[in-house]
Amino acid sequence: MINKIKSSLDLKISLMLAVVLFLFLGISWFFAAQSAKGEMTEYYQDIAKLVTNCTYDFLDDYIDDPDANIKQLEVLGKEMSGVCSFDLIDMVYVVKEKDDDSKMGDTLLISLEDTIEIKGKNDYSNVYVLDPQEEEIMSGNKNSATIVYESRLGKVVSFLNGYDVINKNTGENKRIIVGINVTMNIFNSSVGDSMLRLFWGNCILIIFFILIVRIIIHRIAITPFRVLSESMRNFIQNKEMNFVPLKVEGQDERAKTIEAFNIMGDSIGSYVENIDKLEGEKQKNIAEIKIASEIQRGLVPEGNYEEYPFVLKGYMKPAQVVGGDLYYYHRLDENRIAFAIGDVSGKGISAAFFMASTISAIKYNLRNCTSPAKTISAVNNDIVCDNPNRLFVTLFVGILDAKEHTLTYCNAGHNLPYKIGEKLESLTGGKGIFAGIFENEKYEDAVTSFEEGDKIFLYTDGVTEAVNGQKEFFGEQRLKNILNKTDGELIENVTDEMDAFINGAEQHDDITILTLGFSKKK
C-alpha cells in the first residue's frame, strides 16, 4: 500500500512537471525563433559591412576612372564569389549615385554569381530605381537597411550598407550602396538551424531544472510522509510495541505532524505497558479510549484562531468510546482561510489510526487548497490506498474569502452545516459520497455569499444524536431553535443547552463543533 501511495504522488508530480515542461517548450520555441531571426539578420548585416569594407578602396579608384578598372572589377567579383559561396550568399552588388538624379543609380555586379536578378537587372551597369529605404541610405539619413523583394527565384532578402567615396579629382562625394542578396529559403534555413540550437539548449536547461525540482519535492514532501506512514505501519505490526521516535526537523506542518506522531507513539507505548498489567476486556477498552484521546489532542489544532479578518473557534469533546472526529484549518493568504471537519466511522484504535491518516492527508492537501472538491478528491485517493478495515470518513471542506465575500465548499456525506445571517439556512450544495472507500470519486464545489456578520456553524452527529436519561435525542430541530435565538457565542450556547439536556447521561459519541466568521479590524 505504501508503494501505491508513493506511485500516486509520483504520478501527480510527473504530470504537473510534464505540463510545465510543455509550457516552457512552447515559450522557448517562440522566443528561440525570434532570437534566431534577429541573430541571423545581425550575422548577414555584419557580412554586408565586411563586404562594404572590402570594396571601399576599389570603388574610390573606380569613380575616378570607371573604364580603366573593368578588369579590376572582374577580379574583385571573383573574390566576392568565394565570399558568396562560403556564406551561402547569392550575390554581391553595388549601387552608386547617378549624376543626374538622386533617385536613380548605376548598378555594379561585383559578384559573378549570375543566379539572382537585382530587381530585374543583372549586367554590370544599369539604371536602378531606388526604393524608399535605399533613398534614405543614398541621401545619408541612414547607413544600413534590410529589404525583401520578389525575384524570379522567389523572395530575396537584401542587406544594404551605405558610405561616401570622395572623388580624388573633383573632391566630390559619391554616395555608394553595397548590398548582398540571400534567398529567403537560405535565410530561413539558417534561422532554423540557429533556432534548433537555441531550442535544444533550452530543453536541456529545462530538463535539468525539472530534475532538481523533483528531487527537492521528493525531499520536502514525499519522503517525510512515506517515512511517517512506514513507521506507523511498523509500529502497529510490532507486537512488542517498541516505539522508535522519528527525527523532527524544522517547524513546518511536516515537522508538527511527525512530532504529533512521536507524542502518540510515546503515549501508546505507555498505555500498552499498562494494558499488559491489566486484567479483563473492560480495562483494555478503557486504555484504547485514552490512546485515541491522546491521538486526537496531538493532531487537531488549537480551538481558537482570531487573526484579521477571520474568527474561528473549535470545540472537541471525546466520548468514552472514540469515533474519530477531526477538524483542521489553514490560512491560505491574507484574504482566504481553508477549513475542514470530519467524522470517522468505526470505534477504538482502528478508527483512531484511520483518523490520524485522514488528518495527515488533509494537512498535506489543504495547505495549497484551490478547490474544496479537489482537496476532498485528493484526500479520498490518499486514504483509500491504506484502508484494510474498509473504514470511511464524512468530510466538509470550505474556503472562506474575505475579499470576494464568498464561501466555497464541498460536502462528502457530512452533516449539513448552517449559515447564520439574516436568516438561518442549511448549506445543501456540493454534495458527494463519503471518503475512504472508493477511489477516484467525483466531487463538486458549491458557492454561497458570505457577508459581514454571517457565521457558519459546523458539527458532527455527536451533537444531534446526544441522548438523555429518557433515551431522547437532542435532535436537529432543537439545534436549529438554539441557533435562531443565539446572538453571542454559538459554541457556548449550544454546549450549555446540550449539558442541560443530557443532564449527566453517558456520552456515546464524540462531539465536535467548528464556527467561523469575519472579525472586526482592530
Side-chain angles (χ1 to χ4, degrees):
M1 290 296 179
I2 293 173
N3 289 332
K4 288 184 178 180
I5 295 174
K6 177 183 175 183
S7 299
S8 175
L9 292 174
D10 281 347
L11 178 60
K12 293 175 184 176
I13 292 173
S14 298
L15 290 175
M16 179 183 69
L17 293 179
V19 171
V20 174
L21 172 62
F22 281 113
L23 180 62
F24 257 86
L25 287 179
I27 296 173
S28 173
W29 182 269
F30 174 77
F31 284 105
Q34 300 301 316
S35 176
K37 185 175 181 180
E39 180 183 323
M40 293 312 302
T41 299
E42 185 177 349
Y43 170 74
Y44 280 113
Q45 192 60 258
D46 288 342
I47 293 176
K49 290 178 181 178
L50 177 63
V51 171
T52 301
N53 292 334
C54 291
T55 60
Y56 182 85
D57 292 334
F58 170 78
L59 289 174
D60 189 8
D61 295 333
Y62 182 83
I63 289 175
D64 291 337
D65 190 0
D67 296 333
N69 288 279
I70 294 300
K71 291 185 178 181
Q72 292 185 31
L73 180 66
E74 293 178 356
V75 172
L76 182 61
K78 291 179 180 180
E79 293 177 358
M80 290 303 169
S81 295
V83 175
C84 293
S85 176
F86 181 77
D87 288 304
L88 302 178
I89 298 169
D90 291 280
M91 185 171 58
V92 179
Y93 66 96
V94 174
V95 179
K96 70 184 183 67
E97 184 180 350
K98 197 170 180 61
D99 296 332
D100 56 355
D101 192 343
S102 62
K103 292 187 179 181
M104 307 294 284
D106 286 336
T107 59
L108 309 174
L109 184 62
I110 61 174
S111 168
L112 299 184
E113 294 288 334
D114 186 14
T115 56
I116 293 184
E117 58 193 50
I118 308 176
K119 296 185 179 178
K121 304 294 184 180
N122 63 359
D123 52 6
Y124 275 96
S125 183
N126 297 277
V127 174
Y128 181 81
V129 179
L130 304 176
D131 76 357
Q133 292 192 70
E134 291 171 321
E135 285 183 34
E136 289 191 53
I137 296 176
M138 191 65 82
S139 64
N141 291 332
K142 62 191 300 187
N143 293 320
S144 62
T146 301
I147 61 175
V148 179
Y149 63 88
E150 292 284 345
S151 75
R152 68 174 183 274
L153 297 180
K155 283 189 176 181
V156 176
V157 186
S158 186
F159 299 90
L160 307 170
N161 284 291
Y163 61 95
D164 295 318
V165 176
I166 300 176
N167 191 310
K168 294 177 181 178
N169 296 326
T170 65
E172 293 182 77
N173 283 341
K174 286 291 185 179
R175 191 68 173 167
I176 301 298
I177 299 176
V178 178
I180 64 170
N181 281 357
V182 182
T183 60
M184 186 62 78
N185 290 338
I186 295 296
F187 180 77
N188 288 338
S189 177
S190 300
V191 170
D193 292 341
S194 178
M195 186 171 62
L196 282 176
R197 289 193 298 271
L198 289 171
F199 177 75
W200 288 116
N202 288 337
C203 284
I204 293 173
L205 289 176
I206 291 170
I207 292 172
F208 178 76
F209 170 76
I210 289 177
L211 289 176
I212 296 299
V213 170
R214 183 164 183 175
I215 291 171
I216 293 173
I217 292 175
H218 267 275
R219 181 175 179 82
I220 67 175
I222 296 178
T223 302
F225 285 99
R226 188 173 72 244
V227 171
L228 177 61
S229 179
E230 290 174 352
S231 298
M232 187 178 293
R233 176 178 291 277
N234 293 335
F235 180 53
I236 295 173
Q237 294 176 348
N238 185 358
K239 295 181 180 180
E240 297 181 359
M241 292 291 181
N242 294 325
F243 177 71
V244 180
L246 298 176
K247 185 178 180 181
V248 179
E249 297 179 351
Q251 297 182 348
D252 57 9
E253 293 296 331
R254 296 178 295 113
K256 291 180 180 179
T257 302
I258 294 173
E259 185 178 5
F261 176 73
N262 287 340
I263 295 172
M264 178 192 71
D266 289 336
S267 300
I268 291 176
S270 299
Y271 284 117
V272 169
E273 289 179 4
N274 294 330
I275 288 174
D276 291 338
K277 299 176 183 179
L278 297 176
E279 295 181 358
E281 189 65 26
K282 181 177 180 179
Q283 297 300 325
K284 291 183 179 180
N285 290 337
I286 294 174
E288 284 186 352
I289 294 170
K290 292 181 178 179
I291 292 170
S293 298
E294 290 291 334
I295 293 172
Q296 288 184 325
R297 283 194 293 271
L299 293 178
V300 298
E302 294 183 3
N304 292 322
Y305 175 85
E306 184 170 357
E307 189 169 334
Y308 183 80
F310 303 110
V311 175
L312 181 147
K313 293 187 177 181
Y315 171 87
M316 179 179 286
K317 184 180 180 182
Q320 290 182 344
V321 179
V322 178
D325 281 6
L326 60 95
Y327 70 85
Y328 190 71
Y329 55 85
H330 181 77
R331 184 73 173 264
L332 299 176
D333 53 42
E334 63 179 358
N335 295 314
R336 298 181 304 148
I337 188 171
F339 58 94
I341 189 171
D343 187 359
V344 174
S345 66
K347 308 294 180 183
I349 291 294
S350 59
F353 271 107
F354 188 69
M355 174 266 198
S357 177
T358 301
I359 201 168
S360 295
I362 290 173
K363 286 182 177 183
Y364 179 76
N365 290 285
L366 202 65
R367 295 181 67 188
N368 298 309
C369 177
T370 58
S371 162
K374 291 180 180 179
T375 299
I376 292 180
S377 179
V379 170
N380 176 63
N381 288 340
D382 287 345
I383 61 179
V384 162
C385 296
D386 196 7
N387 185 15
N389 295 321
R390 304 293 288 173
L391 299 176
F392 63 88
V393 59
T394 64
L395 285 173
F396 183 96
V397 176
I399 299 176
L400 184 58
D401 193 325
K403 181 179 180 181
E404 301 295 334
H405 289 276
T406 58
L407 172 66
T408 305
Y409 64 93
C410 181
N411 191 336
H414 198 72
N415 301 84
L416 296 180
Y418 290 102
K419 188 178 81 168
I420 305 171
E422 294 182 358
K423 62 178 181 178
L424 183 70
E425 61 178 302
S426 299
L427 300 180
T428 59
K431 289 184 178 180
I433 193 171
F434 47 77
I437 300 294
F438 306 108
E439 195 171 9
N440 299 321
E441 279 294 326
K442 303 296 183 183
Y443 298 91
E444 294 182 356
D445 287 328
V447 181
T448 184
S449 61
F450 203 90
E451 304 297 334
E452 297 287 342
D454 290 353
K455 290 184 179 180
I456 180 173
F457 181 91
L458 306 103
Y459 63 99
T460 59
D461 55 14
V463 175
T464 53
E465 295 179 6
V467 180
N468 62 14
Q470 289 73 43
K471 307 300 180 182
E472 297 174 332
F473 288 100
F474 187 76
E476 197 80 32
Q477 188 59 48
R478 186 175 277 104
L479 175 62
K480 291 171 66 175
N481 292 339
I482 297 171
L483 297 179
N484 271 319
K485 67 180 182 180
T486 297
D487 296 326
E489 297 295 332
L490 294 174
I491 293 179
E492 287 79 355
N493 290 337
V494 171
T495 54
D496 287 347
E497 291 284 346
M498 288 181 65
D499 291 340
F501 172 80
I502 295 172
N503 194 24
E506 182 180 358
Q507 180 183 336
H508 294 283
D509 201 357
D510 286 351
I511 296 173
T512 301
I513 301 174
L514 193 65
T515 64
L516 184 60
F518 293 133
S519 67
K520 295 181 179 179
K521 191 171 185 180
K522 296 181 179 180

